[in-house]
Every structure is written in C-alpha cells, then in structure tokens.
C-alpha cells in the first residue's frame, strides 16, 4: 500500500496495541489496510504517557500479546510491572518484527469521517489533507487517550512550566531544585509523585479525591508467579481469556462476611503482600457487590495508610471515604504513602480548601497562595468515548456519532453502533475494556472484527451494522449488570463523572471478559444475531436480543450448570427432598421479622399440618395471609420458602402463615388441594388466637403452592368460606395439559425443567384427574373470585399457563394485576437477597397483600 493510494479495504485509527494487532489480522486475511496515527511512532498510550514512574498495573507477563507465540520466547520482561520505556520498546520490537510501520501513516490525525450510503464506503479526512476511502473503518483509539481538558480556572495563565502526565516531554523533565505542584491523585499521580518528590525541592500535591492504593512490590517476577505461564503458555492464555478480568485467577468462593475477622484480615494481608490490582477486589466474591463487605476492605486499607503515614491529619486526608474500594480504579504504587512522610512534600486537601484559581505564579486555594516553578496536571482523561467522538464521525442520513451519543454511548457489544455501518470500535464503551487486562480484551475484539470482515467477504456482503433493538437491549443488559454492583455509586471516570457535562452512564461492560467472549461468539454462532448485513445478494436482518436473562439470573444459571448437578427427577423422592433442603439452607435467610411461631393445624383428613407464622415487628393485630410453598406437591415444607415469607411479612406488614400440605406421592391429588382449604379455614377461624385480625385471609403461593392458593380461593368460594380477600400467585401451575409454547421453549436450561415438572405431575395426579379444577384451576369457574396478582416469568415453562390464568380471571370479571417479568425464571423471585433484579416482583407481591388485607380489614 503506498501513500498515494486513496482507497483501501480498511482504515485503522491508532497504532497502539489494538491498531497494531488489527493490522496484522487484516494483512493475514488479505485485506488492504492503512493505519493512521497522530504520533510519530507506534505504542499508543505507551508512546504518550512518559511521566516518571509510568508503568502497567497488570503484570507484564499478562499484559503482553498472545497472538505471536514466538514473541513469548523472544521477549522477557525485566520486572513484574514493566515501566513505560520497556513497554514502548516492546511495541517497537513487534512493529519491527512484523514490519508494521510500512502500513502506518504517522503524524496523521483523523479529523472527520463520513459514511457514503451509495458507495458503501467511509471517507476519512486527515489533518495532512490526504483523504482515504475505505470499506471498513476501525477505531483503535484507546480508552484513556483523550486527555481531559483542564477544568480549573486560570490554567493558561501560569507562567512557569506546565506538564501533563498524558503528554509528557520525550526528553524527560528535570525537577531538581524546583517547587512543583501535582494536581490530581489518580493512578498517574500515584505513580509519578514518589519520583517527582525524589527530585524536586518542594512538592505540593493537590488532592480532590484520595484513591485506594496498595504496594506494587515491583521487581523481578518470582519463579512461583511465573511458573503456571511457563508450564503451559497456551493453557495459561486460554484461562486468561475465560477469566473474569483477563488474568488467570482463582475465583473466591466466599464473601467477606462469611469468614472470621482473623481469617478476613489474614487474607487481606496476603493481598497487600501480593501487590496485584485484581487481588484487591478479588479476595472475596462480594467486594464489589456488598457495601458491608467492601467496608471491611476499606477499613483494612485505611489501617495500612494510617500505619505508614506519620502525620495523622495527612493520613486521614489520604484515606478514601467517599467511594467503595474498586468503584474508582484502584492503584498500585511504589512508596506512595511513604512519600508524604518526607519533609518537603505537602498534601493539600481540596475538599477542605478548594482551588480558586491558577495564577501567573502558582495556585490559589480559597485560603492560601502557593508559588511554583512547575505544575504537573495528572487530571485524567475523557475516558472511553473521548477519543471516539473527538473525531467528527457522520453516519447514515447525516447523523453524527456525537449527536447519537449525546445521552451516553449506545453500542452493541461495545463493537458497533446502529446508523454507522462498518464502523468498529476496539474496546469501545459497552465492552469489558478498562475493567480487564486490556491486552486480552484487545485481542478478542480484533479477532472478532477480523472474522466478521472475512465473513462478509465470503458471503458477498458489503456492510454490517447492529439493529437498534440489539444495541438498546445490550446497553440495558450492561446497565443491569452494573446496577448489581457498587460501581455506579462512585464519581468515577467509569461513569463519566470526571468530565464536566459528560452524560453519566456506566461505560464499560461489567460482566467479565470470559462471559463477554462467550456472548460475542454466540452472536456469530447465531448468524450474527442483532446485526443487519447487506450486499449485492440482498439484505439479511437478523434482529434479536443476545442476552435476555437478567444478569443475576444468568450468573445463577451458569453457576448451577458448572456444578453439574444431576436432574432432580433422577434423585428419587427422598434424594430430591434432601437436595431441596440442602440448597435452601445455602440461600440468604431473608429479613428479620418480629416473631416466628411454629405450630400445627388440622388438615382436611385430620392429619396435623405444620405451619410457621411470621409476625411483623410492628404493633398488631395484623391481617393474615396464608402462604403455600413451592415444590411440585412433592417437595418443600412450611419452612422451605422462609426467605420469601419473611420478606412478605416485613414488606406487607402482615402475618404470614406458611402452611404445609400433604405431599405426593404419599398423599396424591386432591390431598394438597383439600389441605389448602382446610388450612385457610382454620387460620381464618383462629385469627385472633394467632394474634391477628380474624375473619378474612389472603392466600399466596409459589409454583405448586400458587396452584394450591388458586384452588383454595376457588374452593372457598364454592364452600361459602372462608372469606379470601385476595390471591397472590407467583408462577402458578394452573393447567395439567402442559402443551403451551413456554412448556417447549423453556423446557430446559432455566432451573425448573419440564422433565421435573412432569415428574411432579405424575407423582401428584393421575392424568384423568388433571381436568379437575382442583388440579387445574384454569378449568374452574372463575367468576366471583377475589382480586388477584398473577406473576409470570419469561423463562419459565409455566409462563403461558400463568398468563392464561391471568387472562381468564380478567375475562371472568375478576380484578387482576398481571405482572410479566422479562428476563426472570421460575426460581428467581423467591430468592430474596440473592436475585436483585426481581426485587420489583417481590415488592409487587407485598404491595398486593397489603392492599388486599388492608381493604378487607377496613371493610
Ligand atoms: P484519573 O484516574 O482520572 O485521575 C485524575 C485525577 O485528577 C483524580 O485524582 C481527579 O480527582 C483529579 N482531578 C481531575 N480534575 C481535577 C480538578 N479540576 N481539580 C482537582 N483534581 C482534579 O487519571 P489518571 O491519569 O491518574 O489515571 C487514568 C488511568 O490510566 C488509570 O486508572 C490507569 O488505568 C491508567 P477526582 O477523582 O476526579 O476528584
């Protein structure tokens, strides 16, 4: 490719690690490609960020290419965390080895790019005046490459030396004998401050937000740490690709609060000694999700800071208190906190004394004037989107990317965005990127893009572009994941908060690189699901949603699949019951209630039925709801749905009486149905004795328990009592025919399977009896029934029969609230404290009970 050519298959912007590898892949695939690069050499981030102390914060053995196996033999890192000059030399070595520079136009900045929908080409304009036309336009521009414009008044007034860590002079800076200010205490500052302090006459650090930092313990990597890589590099890399953050690590099995104080401290000490970024939040499995767990880590690091920094006031100022550990990118340092013990180093806490202006000679805070010879801005970047929207990119119909992303970036998989065909982003917003080892994420994106381009060529297609549905739902999925964590609570650049006026949305995908890779691969396997592909042979729109399950449900199902448990129906009845008891014991217990009373009441045939009564902590008497547990009429007990009962008790401020009923196969149909009515009658009659409001009860239940509840409401109507004020039916079994689409679509893979459902039915009820409304309440007379809340879940085999029941109740004139829960499964809603995204469904259950019972009490 020569400079005079103006048309290529692919233009790649950026000659950092992403652009370099993309060029390799394009060449290998036989595409003509040009890389445009502002700098005069390769290296990207490592070309620009030359400040003292700049080094990676992922071990170099991990932060290195895997695509050239020989490279792993040819290059040896001198330290655990290589410094910038060594990483830049590595990039240059790769460029030399693969003769990459011949396809790179250095000193060339892309100024704008437009899509031509007639020619199906991008036109790329550069500041050299040379335009390029290409089929595919790939932004390999990095996540932290657009320095934040200084937002401090008077910045350009300062007459002394001004430096930005992000664009450091190539021949270095000598601070000897100088009075130096560093503004900012992010990673760049934390790395550079000790080295600047070693030279400067005086160093003043202006800190707005302290960060969490642990010692990097840099030096040669230990044989022990390197051993797994050397033993089998391919397996090691493969593990990295499947891991959460792109580095092989054991997944912690415990939460921070599950171990003793001593054990927790010992593990944190080990983390502090190990000096690895991912270890900070990777010591326990709930550090980034549970505030209380995170507090234990915060306290530990605070203790370390206080033990190192001698001046207690300075130590306090350095202790981060306004964000959880890991919700802003934590740092690895070498002597950072120790530096504040030096007599010529001063920390100015801007939270107490903000900067009012930068002056000709220094910095004025609200209460003090400082004079400096040099100011170092370590103020960060317009992260993840800055470099992308920094170029005027115009897609189809004149829409610019800046306009499209005005409320925050919208991408499919962080790779592409609708309206901008053939525009790819490497590690774009919506991909794991900055939450991961960038090398692993870069290689995965480059490979995916290269494969997509080959796919287009092989299928005589010109363009690829995500559908709006696919990208909207991807953004939603990513946000839902983020909302399961503490990450969105911090004022971080992950959230765009550091740049004034930037929309505040969580930018990277927080589901982990392994899971993300599986997702990207699945998109391809499902014929580029969520993409429209177009070419001379026609347009193929494969609209769809790649991840419909709520993220916590997805994680739960993945965990269960990994456990490889045998199907319940193969365990035998006793085995299944034991299994259900054991798995229930592993669930969070649910909220505290005022009182729990265990007792028995007479069933339909006089058999004593256990019940557990949950009384709210508020003053009574309270109205009463009768709750029937799930378990397919075969499994479960009065205590097996404890967490949900506790939740309903507290949130509806009602007594919940969870009552057992006789189980199959020992007592087959209609034992459970008859016991439901007997229990509701007894509880309504004995309400006062139970400390509640007598006369009326509501009924509630889950799954087969919801079947018993629905049948009880019908039987009570037919029997003329007891008075049922309302029915709350969660994923009810309503119809024994099991021939609806959801029975097939969701037959397997979502917790409750049709195999086990059929096993339950067979134990409970003869086929001939299933048409009886006491087995299939959908077939009953629904007129005159009490108001109902029916909750159904998208990925539940029972979804359609629940939906049908809600519709039939409404047709019969019953007041029905029908809540259909997208992304949820049969077992998700009862999992109080474990499944966060179904909280609204539990809240709806409690609200419904409250309203039925209060209405009844006031009647
Ligand atoms: P960061 O982590 O964004 O740090 C920037 C720092 O500058 C941070 O402490 C900011 O405080 C501070 N800052 C920014 N603007 C101001 C103003 N106006 N006044 C005072 N202080 C300010 O960037 P880095 O370059 O250190 O690190 C970026 C990443 O590169 C790093 O995480 C690694 O992944 C590599 P704030 O926290 O906003 O209050």
């Amino acid at each position: 490719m020569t400079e005079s050519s103006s048309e290529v298959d692919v233009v790649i912007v950026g000659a950092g690690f992403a652009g370099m590898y993309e060029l390799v892949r394009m060449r290998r695939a036989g595409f003509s490609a040009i890389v445009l690069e502002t700098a005069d050499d390769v290296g990207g981030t490592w070309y620009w960020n030359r400040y003292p102390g700049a080094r990676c914060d992922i071990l170099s053995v991990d932060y290195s290419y895997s695509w050239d196996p020989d490279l792993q033999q040819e290059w040896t890192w001198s330290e655990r965390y290589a410094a910038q000059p060594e990483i830049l030399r590595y990039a240059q070595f790769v460029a030399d080895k693969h003769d990459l520079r011949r396809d790179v136009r250095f000193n060339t900045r892309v100024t704008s790019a437009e899509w031509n929908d007639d020619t199906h080409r991008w036109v790329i304009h550069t500041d050299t005046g040379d335009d390029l036309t290409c089929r595919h336009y790939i932004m390999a521009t990095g996540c932290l490459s657009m320095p934040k414009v200084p937002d401090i008044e008077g910045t350009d007034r300062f007459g002394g030396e001004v430096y930005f860590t992000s664009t450091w002079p190539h021949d270095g800076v000598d601070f000897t004998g100088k009075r130096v200010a560093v503004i900012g205490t992010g990673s760049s500052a934390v790395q550079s401050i000790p080295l600047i302090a070693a030279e400067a006459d005086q160093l003043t650090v202006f800190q707005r937000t302290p960060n969490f930092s642990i010692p990097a313990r840099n030096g040669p990597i230990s044989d022990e740490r390197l051993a797994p890589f050397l033993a089998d590099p391919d397996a090691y890399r493969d593990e990295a690709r499947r891991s959460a953050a792109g580095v092989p690590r054991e997944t912690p099995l415990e939460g921070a609060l599950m171990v003793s104080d001593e054990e927790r401290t010992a593990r944190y000490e080990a983390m502090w000694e190990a000096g690895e970024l991912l270890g900070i939040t990777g010591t326990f499995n709930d550090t980034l999700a549970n505030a209380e767990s995170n507090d234990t880590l915060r306290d530990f690091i605070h203790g370390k800071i206080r033990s190192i920094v001698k001046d207690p006031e300075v130590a306090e100022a350095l202790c981060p208190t306004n964000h959880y550990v890991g919700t802003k990118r934590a740092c690895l340092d070498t002597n950072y906190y120790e530096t504040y013990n030096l007599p010529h180093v001063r920390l100015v806490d801007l939270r107490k004394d903000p900067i009012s202006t930068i002056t000709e000679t220094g910095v004025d805070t609200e209460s003090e004037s400082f004079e400096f010879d040099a100011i170092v801005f370590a103020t960060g970047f317009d992260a993840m989107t800055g470099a992308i929207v920094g170029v005027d990119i115009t897609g189809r119909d004149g829409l610019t990317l800046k306009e499209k992303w005005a409320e925050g970036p919208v991408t499919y998989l962080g790779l592409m965005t609708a309206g901008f065909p053939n525009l790819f982003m490497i590690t774009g917003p919506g991909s794991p990127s900055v939450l991961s080892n960038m090398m692993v994420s870069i290689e995965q994106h480059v490979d995916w893009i290269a494969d997509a381009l080959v796919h287009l060529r092989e299928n005589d297609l010109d363009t690829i572009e995500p559908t709006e549905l696919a990208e909207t739902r991807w953004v939603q999925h990513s946000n839902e994941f983020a909302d399961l964590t503490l990450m969105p609570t911090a004022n971080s650049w992950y959230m765009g908060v550091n740049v004034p006026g930037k929309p505040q949305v969580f930018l990277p995908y927080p589901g982990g690189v392994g899971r993300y890779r599986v997702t990207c691969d699945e998109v391809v396997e499902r014929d580029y699901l969520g993409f429209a592909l177009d070419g001379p042979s026609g347009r193929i729109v494969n609209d769809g949603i790649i991840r419909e399950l709520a993220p916590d449900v997805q994680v739960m199902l993945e965990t269960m699949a990994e456990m490889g448990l045998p199907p319940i129906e193969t365990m035998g009845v006793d085995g299944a019951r034991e299994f259900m008891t054991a798995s229930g014991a592993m669930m969070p217990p649910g909220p505290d209630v005022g009182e729990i009373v265990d007792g028995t009441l007479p069933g339909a045939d006089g058999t004593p039925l256990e019940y557990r009564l949950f009384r709210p902590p508020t003053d009574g008497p309270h109205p009463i709801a009768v709750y029937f547990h799930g378990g397919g009429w075969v499994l479960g007990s009065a205590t097996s749905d404890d967490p949900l009962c506790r939740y309903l008790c507290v949130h509806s401020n009602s007594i919940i009486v969870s009552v057992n009923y006789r189980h199959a196969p020992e007592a087959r149909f209609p034992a459970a149905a008859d016991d439901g009515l007997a229990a509701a009658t007894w509880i309504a009659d004995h309400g006062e004795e139970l400390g509640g409001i007598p006369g009326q009860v509501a009924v509630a239940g889950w799954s087969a328990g919801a079947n018993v509840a629905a049948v009880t409401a019908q039987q009570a109507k037919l029997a003329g009592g007891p008075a049922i004020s309302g029915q709350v039916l969660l994923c009810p079994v309503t119809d024994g025919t099991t021939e609806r689409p959801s029975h097939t679509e969701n037959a397997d893979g979502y917790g409750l399977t049709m195999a086990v459902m059929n096993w339950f039915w067979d134990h409970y009820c003869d086929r001939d009896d299933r048409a009886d409304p006491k087995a299939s309440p959908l077939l009953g007379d629904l007129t005159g029934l009490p108001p109902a809340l029916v909750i159904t879940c998208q990925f539940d085999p029972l979804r359609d029969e629940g939906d049908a029941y809600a519709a039939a109740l409404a047709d019969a004139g019953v007041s029905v609230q029908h809540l259909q829960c997208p992304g949820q499964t049969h077992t998700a809603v009862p999992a109080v404290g474990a499944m966060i995204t179904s909280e609204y469904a539990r809240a709806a259950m409690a609200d419904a009970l409250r309203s039925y019972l209060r209405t009844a009490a006031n009647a």
Side-chain angles (χ1 to χ4, degrees):
M1 189 72 241
T2 63
E3 291 228 352
S4 56
S5 310
S6 59
E7 166 122 13
V8 283
D9 295 328
V10 182
V11 165
I12 301 162
V13 185
F17 284 120
M20 289 166 65
Y21 179 40
E22 190 67 70
L23 176 59
V24 170
R25 284 297 317 259
M26 291 299 100
R27 281 186 185 169
R28 283 184 190 165
F31 292 107
S32 59
I34 279 286
V35 181
L36 302 176
E37 168 58 57
T38 312
D40 62 11
D41 201 1
V42 296
T45 287
W46 303 105
Y47 175 94
W48 297 105
N49 286 265
R50 298 177 187 231
Y51 60 84
R55 56 181 77 244
C56 52
D57 55 13
I58 295 287
L59 288 176
S60 288
V61 62
D62 296 311
Y63 188 83
S64 50
Y65 280 141
S66 74
W67 53 267
D68 176 352
D70 296 340
L71 197 54
Q72 296 174 174
Q73 316 306 324
E74 293 158 357
W75 187 271
T76 307
W77 296 102
S78 68
E79 293 179 286
R80 277 158 57 85
Y81 300 103
Q84 173 271 332
E86 188 173 348
I87 305 175
L88 182 59
R89 279 203 303 279
Y90 176 77
Q92 291 164 337
F93 178 82
V94 175
D96 289 341
K97 180 179 175 197
H98 293 274
D99 190 18
L100 297 182
R101 289 189 185 83
R102 73 181 151 87
D103 287 327
V104 185
R105 290 192 190 169
F106 292 107
N107 303 306
T108 304
R109 178 184 288 279
V110 175
T111 51
S112 61
E114 297 120 30
W115 172 250
N116 184 325
D117 214 22
D118 298 325
T119 60
H120 283 181
R121 297 282 192 284
W122 281 98
V123 182
I124 315 287
H125 304 281
T126 70
D127 63 353
T128 64
D130 287 340
D131 293 350
L132 279 162
T133 304
C134 58
R135 175 79 78 195
H136 301 286
Y137 171 30
I138 303 177
M139 298 289 276
T141 40
C143 295
L144 296 157
S145 48
M146 177 65 85
K148 197 180 91 155
V149 179
D151 53 355
I152 304 174
E153 201 209 282
T155 300
D156 40 9
R157 224 185 299 155
F158 183 63
E161 299 163 33
V162 174
Y163 302 104
F164 289 86
T165 49
S166 50
T167 45
W168 202 256
H170 284 200
D171 37 8
V173 180
D174 184 2
F175 289 114
T176 309
K178 293 190 175 144
R179 298 162 304 169
V180 183
V182 171
I183 300 180
T185 48
S187 185
S188 303
V190 165
Q191 289 185 336
S192 58
I193 281 167
L195 294 171
I196 296 174
E199 268 181 23
D201 204 31
Q202 286 174 25
L203 172 64
T204 307
V205 177
F206 291 89
Q207 170 188 271
R208 188 164 67 183
T209 311
N211 259 314
F212 292 98
S213 186
I214 69 162
R217 317 227 175 257
N218 205 12
I221 190 164
S222 70
D223 291 345
E224 191 193 352
R225 183 63 181 78
L226 202 52
F229 173 71
L230 292 179
D232 189 343
D234 290 345
Y236 185 88
R237 298 290 195 194
D238 195 48
E239 204 181 327
R241 292 182 195 112
R242 288 185 284 107
S243 70
V247 175
R249 282 189 70 80
E250 264 180 44
T251 311
L253 297 174
E254 285 144 327
L257 305 175
M258 290 165 69
V259 299
S260 68
D261 292 353
E262 294 72 29
E263 173 67 19
R264 188 184 315 116
T265 305
R267 292 201 201 174
Y268 286 152
E269 287 288 356
M271 171 278 289
W272 184 264
E273 286 307 313
E276 292 195 33
L277 192 68
L278 299 175
I280 302 177
T281 51
T283 305
F284 293 105
N285 66 13
D286 61 348
T287 307
L288 283 172
N290 180 328
E292 235 183 299
S293 297
N294 197 291
D295 283 345
T296 64
L297 177 56
R298 179 158 67 178
D299 292 348
F300 174 84
I301 300 180
H302 284 181
K304 287 291 183 190
I305 296 171
R306 290 182 189 122
S307 73
I308 298 170
V309 179
K310 294 194 177 117
D311 181 330
E313 207 180 320
V314 177
E316 280 326 294
L318 287 166
C319 286
T321 52
N322 76 343
H323 64 280
Y324 295 105
V325 186
T327 57
K328 287 174 87 121
R329 184 155 176 132
C331 306
L332 294 185
D333 71 87
T334 303
N335 294 329
Y336 176 64
Y337 293 117
E338 290 82 349
T339 301
Y340 291 97
N341 292 332
L342 299 172
H344 67 292
V345 176
R346 180 173 167 193
L347 180 72
V348 175
D349 184 351
L350 298 179
R351 288 168 302 177
K352 289 191 177 148
D353 189 13
I355 294 177
S356 47
T357 185
I358 290 180
T359 65
E360 286 75 8
T361 54
V363 175
D364 281 2
T365 61
E366 283 182 2
S367 68
E368 211 174 332
S369 270
F370 297 83
E371 303 233 314
F372 296 114
D373 302 307
I375 299 180
V376 174
F377 287 91
T379 43
F381 299 88
D382 183 350
M384 300 209 67
T385 54
I388 300 173
V389 294
V391 175
D392 284 326
I393 301 178
T394 308
R396 190 183 289 117
D397 303 327
L399 180 71
T400 67
L401 196 55
K402 217 176 276 178
E403 287 162 354
K404 178 171 176 185
W405 287 7
E407 304 298 320
V410 179
T411 73
Y412 187 35
L413 305 167
L415 277 163
M416 300 195 81
T417 187
F420 298 80
N422 294 3
L423 169 66
F424 298 88
M425 291 160 279
I426 300 179
T427 65
S431 72
S433 55
V434 291
L435 298 179
S436 68
N437 173 1
M438 285 300 277
M439 281 294 193
V440 172
S441 287
I442 282 171
E443 290 189 353
Q444 185 251 336
H445 264 195
V446 168
D447 289 338
W448 194 96
I449 294 167
D451 292 346
L453 266 49
V454 170
H455 174 83
L456 293 180
R457 187 176 60 194
E458 285 176 351
N459 291 280
D460 200 19
L461 294 161
D462 293 342
T463 68
I464 177 169
E465 178 187 356
T467 68
E468 287 187 7
L469 173 71
E471 67 178 12
T472 305
R473 292 298 296 271
W474 179 252
V475 172
Q476 182 188 331
H477 174 69
S478 188
N479 287 337
E480 282 175 358
F481 244 124
D483 288 341
L484 297 177
T485 73
L486 300 167
M487 303 292 279
T489 63
N491 289 334
S492 65
W493 55 256
Y494 296 138
M495 288 289 293
V497 181
N498 65 326
V499 176
K502 188 166 172 171
Q504 294 184 10
V505 291
F506 194 73
L507 294 167
Y509 167 76
V513 298
R515 182 174 292 120
Y516 174 79
R517 176 184 296 268
V518 167
T519 304
C520 291
D521 290 349
E522 192 182 319
V523 163
V524 175
E525 280 153 23
R526 294 170 69 181
D527 299 323
Y528 286 89
L529 180 68
F531 283 103
L533 293 87
D534 202 356
S537 51
R539 187 171 168 80
I540 311 157
V541 182
N542 186 9
D543 205 1
I545 302 159
I546 185 65
R547 285 290 170 257
E548 291 196 86
L549 280 168
D552 48 355
V553 176
Q554 183 189 342
V555 172
M556 181 189 68
L557 291 173
E558 286 168 3
T559 309
M560 285 174 57
E562 274 165 27
M563 289 163 82
L565 297 165
I568 290 183
E569 67 278 12
T570 63
M571 295 179 181
V573 170
D574 291 341
R577 286 175 182 163
E578 272 168 37
F579 171 75
M580 178 135 171
T581 308
S583 48
M586 286 159 58
M587 298 302 284
D592 287 340
V593 297
E595 187 190 17
I596 286 182
V597 180
D598 290 330
T600 56
L601 56 81
D605 70 345
T607 305
L609 305 176
E610 289 101 25
Y611 70 80
R612 172 165 281 188
L613 179 148
F614 302 83
R615 197 184 312 285
T618 52
D619 288 342
H622 302 94
I624 304 175
V626 184
Y627 179 89
F628 300 102
H629 63 266
W633 311 280
V634 176
L635 317 175
S637 69
T639 59
S640 57
D641 292 6
D642 250 33
L644 183 59
C645 291
R646 287 167 175 272
Y647 179 97
L648 294 176
C649 168
V650 171
H651 290 272
S652 69
N653 198 31
S654 312
I655 290 174
I656 304 291
V657 183
S658 171
V659 64
N660 206 3
Y661 42 89
R662 280 169 294 155
H663 286 164
E666 294 86 348
R668 288 169 61 84
F669 176 81
D674 291 343
D675 281 350
L677 181 64
T681 307
W682 189 90
I683 291 165
D685 291 348
H686 295 76
E688 204 162 337
E689 253 169 68
L690 298 172
I693 301 171
Q696 295 234 7
V697 292
V699 290
W702 166 51
S703 189
N707 169 277
V708 175
V711 169
T712 298
Q714 291 189 17
Q715 295 303 308
K717 183 192 75 174
L718 294 173
I724 307 286
S725 55
Q727 38 181 339
V728 171
L729 310 176
L730 172 60
C731 304
V733 185
T734 71
D735 181 7
T737 55
T738 63
E739 282 164 4
R740 296 166 193 277
S742 63
H743 295 129
T744 315
E745 285 165 22
N746 301 328
D748 198 7
Y750 299 110
L752 178 73
T753 63
M754 272 320 285
V756 76
M757 196 60 227
N758 289 328
W759 185 76
F760 287 146
W761 268 119
D762 291 345
H763 278 303
Y764 180 50
C765 194
D766 291 341
R767 291 210 168 257
D768 291 348
D769 287 336
R770 293 184 196 176
D772 187 325
K774 281 165 77 174
S776 295
L778 184 63
L779 306 178
D781 171 14
L782 308 187
T783 55
L785 286 175
L789 166 67
V790 180
I791 298 180
T792 54
C793 292
Q794 183 183 3
F795 294 101
D796 180 1
L798 308 186
R799 178 195 67 206
D800 293 348
E801 60 186 274
D803 286 349
Y805 197 60
L809 285 170
D811 284 349
V814 177
S815 165
V816 186
Q817 189 194 348
H818 182 194
L819 185 60
Q820 293 171 297
C821 301
Q824 299 296 331
T825 56
H826 189 79
T827 51
V829 180
V832 180
M835 296 291 108
I836 313 292
T837 55
S838 50
E839 172 62 22
Y840 70 98
R842 291 186 286 275
M845 293 175 78
D847 285 351
L849 282 181
R850 182 189 279 268
S851 100
Y852 301 152
L853 292 165
R854 294 303 175 280
T855 309
N858 295 336

